Structures are given as structure tokens and as C-alpha cells.
Amino acid sequence: MAEFDLIVIGSGPGGYVAAIRASQLGQKVAIVERENLGGICLNWGCIPTKALLKSGEKYESLSHLKDYGLSADKVGFDFDAIIARSRGVAKQLNQGVGFLMKKNKIEVIEGDARLEKGGAAPKVVIKLKDGKSRNVEAKAVMLAVGARARALPQIGLEADDDKIWAYREALAPKKLPKSFVVIGSGAIGLEFASFYRALGSEVTVVEAVDRIMPVEDEEISKAAQKAFEKRGIKFKVGAKVTKVSKTASGVKVEIEVGGKAESLEAEVCISAVGITANTDGIGLEALGVELDRGHIKTDSHCLTNVKGLYAIGDCAGAPWLAHKASHEGIHAAEHIAGFKSPNVHSPIAGCTYTTPQVASVGVTEQAAKADKREVKVGRFPFRVNGKAIASGETEGFVKTIFDAKTGALIGAHMIGAEVTEMIQGYVTAITMEATEEDVMGTVYPHPTMSEAMHEAALDAYGRVIHI
């Protein structure tokens, strides 16, 4: 007889949330974790990076005190204290997850899990931290094993905890380097570039395609590059990295731009070239689990092709975002418990916590037009928004995309201060299938920066008020 109703492998924001939801539904649940409760997100990703970025943002704002009629003497920072604060934030949340496991009566098993053929679901064989082994069975097994930083050893791009860093090394360095080459201009690369630049390091970002943030709307991408360059970050776009080598003083990054060879030198290279799913070494091949470019294939309820085996989060494919993992985990837990939940695919916002921030949901203007959809596009700049002017946060704009035939809001893209907090308004609107009448008929409080969201919708239909 199965020992548990559900065994979750991996305790990141997908796994631990799924375990809690299953427990709420009366399921007997165990969660297997080989390292730290909370996974990469809470310990080495989303949360500690935001702590670093907030320190960088606070320090950088001190150089603008005169704009607010303020002054301060002996402004500086303690790099070790900044890192220690970030690690402390991660520890606090790790302990919080431990509390939640106890509160919800979820058994935590520390060790490495491997799957073998079983009954209702694959059997889970766990190599415990004390060296012993434990076999457990359940009615269902959920893989929430996440992903790790992608390495490219063929060109020398492999973290070494010295001169070539991935996200772990960038979060807990022994000292503050004076210069960086960051390879990759996605959220991870740009957030580290933003943080280290705020503390005065020289930063050059290398991107293989012809613009930074290639998943974002093209207008947002261009505006972001201008904003980052204004802060002193340099960019090499359309640049193929051919070799990364260590030197006596740091690293040398060889690139090819427009058919011409160039080289960049810095103390440290940060690799942000994507992720690799943690699907190797856990027994998927023997079970015949179907993969797609290393990621686990699932149906609309996160179920794999193997009976009783579910997969959620980064290991199950894009978008590689914590909130997507949590959403899938809850959906899968409810499906396992017998709920007839709707399809798991809901609009997922993307957020980049740089200065300025970038946030988006739905389709880009380019994607809509490539799909031959007729659209109405609205824009509104923060430079004429009352709250933004009063706050001294006038950089950026809001962009909305509506289907011209139906009036449905199908995309929203934002760059500016705290837009990662504002994007949820558009996420809710798209989820509820809002039309232009719904968005334009909504009353936005004044004065707020969210009024720009209203004006951007009005602009799409020639009704904008304040420009």
C-alpha cells in the first residue's frame, strides 16, 4: 500500500506550494529536498537577488539627494554587510518554509531522490544525507526539481567560483570586483549588471541577438538599453562569444560582432546564458518519460506520459519563473486530489527588477503582427504622470495592445519605477478577458503611477487625456 498520497521532489516555490495545497485538501504528503527548503528561488535566486538590488537602488539614490532638497555626508557602503543582508533574507525565508511544512504536517525527507518503476506511480528511492537509503511510494509523484545555470565548457564558459561566475557566485562573492563582462541580457544577467553597476563597477553586457531583453516588446527593449546606458552599463549586441579564458588579472572574453573579432577584459565574467533542467540522473530514461530539449513534457494538468507522475516549474519548460511554478503546483495538486480544475495555462507576467524595472504580460506588438492580428496600440509616458513627477520617477512608459476586432486586451508592456508591482492589474484584466471598455471604464486612484495604465488604454482608442 502507498505510504503517501503525494510525494513532491523538490521544495522550491513550485514544490513546497504544491505540498501545502495537497495537505490542505486532506492528502498525506512528503517532500524530498537534497539541499535547502525553498529551492534555488528562495536561497540562490529570486529573493536574495532582490535584496541585493534594493541595496544597490538605495545607494544609487543617494547620489540624487539634491533633487529632493536633501544632503548627506560621508555616503558609502559596506559590501560584506550588503551580501550578509541578502544571505540573511534567504535564511529567514528558508526557515519560513520549514515552519510551513510543520504547520501543514508535511514530512520533509532530506536526500537525493531517484525514480524507479512502481505501482500507481513511480517508486521514489532516496539516498539520505546520513548515507542510508529509503524507499517510499505514493499514489502520485510530482517532480519540482527545477533547473541550474547552463554551462558552455566548449568555449570556457563554466563557473569556477573565482573569475567565472554563475548566479551562486554572483550572490555571495568574497569581494567586489571593479569590472565585469556579463554574458546574456535576460533578467538574470541584467539584474546582476544593474546591482554591480550601482556600486560603481564597470559592466559590459554581451548579447547574441541584435537587441537586449529579446523576449520583451521591441520598444521596451530599446528604451531599456538607453536607460541602462545612461547609468553607465555598456552593451555589445549581435555578439557571438567564441571563447572565455582566464588571465592573470581576470578574464578575457572573445566575441565576434558583424564578422569582426573583438575581445573584452574584466576581473570577472558572469554567465547568464540560460538554464538546464535538472532532469538527468533521476531515472527518467528507464521510466520512458518523454522530454523536449531536456525538459519534461506534460499535458494541460502537468501530468507526464508516465502514470501517476507529474512535473511542474522549470524542469517542465518555459517560462522559467517562480510564480509559474507555484501556479502549476497548485493546479497539479488539485488535479491529483480529484478536482476538475480548468486548464493550467493562464497569462504569466515577466518581471525584471533592474533600474528601471521592466514588466510585461501577453503578446508583444511584433508577435501580434507576425500572427497577422490587427491591433490597436496605446502608450503613455511617466514623464507627464503627476505621481511620477512628484516622486522624481519619470523614466519609462506603459504600452497596451488590444485586438482591434474584439477589443480584448492581449498584451501590456511597461518600463519604469515599480512597474513589477503594477503589471498584475493587466494580468488580472487579461485573465478575466477584459476588453477596452473594461479597462477604460475602471477608475484608477489619483495620484498614482497606475494612472498611466489607464491612459495607455485610452491612447489606444484616441481618448488619452493628459498628452
Side-chain angles (χ1 to χ4, degrees), residues 55-56 58-60 62-63 65 72-79 81-82 198-199:
S55 292
K58 292 286 189 183
Y59 177 68
E60 199 170 25
L62 295 176
S63 63
L65 288 178
D73 295 324
K74 297 181 181 179
V75 172
F77 63 84
D78 182 334
F79 185 66
I82 289 172
L199 299 187

Side-chain angles (χ1 to χ4, degrees), residues 253-305:
V253 179
E254 296 176 47
I255 61 176
E256 188 178 289
V257 186
K260 295 181 180 179
E262 297 182 27
S263 64
L264 305 168
E265 294 193 19
E267 281 190 38
V268 168
C269 172
I270 296 180
S271 173
V273 293
I275 61 171
T276 300
N278 292 323
T279 53
D280 48 319
I282 58 174
L284 301 188
E285 298 84 358
L287 290 175
V289 176
E290 291 183 6
L291 301 178
D292 179 12
R293 289 171 291 183
H295 292 87
I296 301 168
K297 291 179 68 174
T298 62
D299 68 8
S300 61
H301 298 296
C302 307
L303 183 62
T304 72
N305 64 303

Side-chain angles (χ1 to χ4, degrees), residues 36 109 136 138 141 211 262 279 283 347 349 362-363 375-376 388 397-398 439 455:
N36 303 116
I109 306 172
V136 287
V141 173
R211 63 185 178 94
E262 297 182 27
T279 53
V363 301
V375 294
K376 286 186 177 291
F397 63 94
V398 177
V439 180
E455 294 270 20

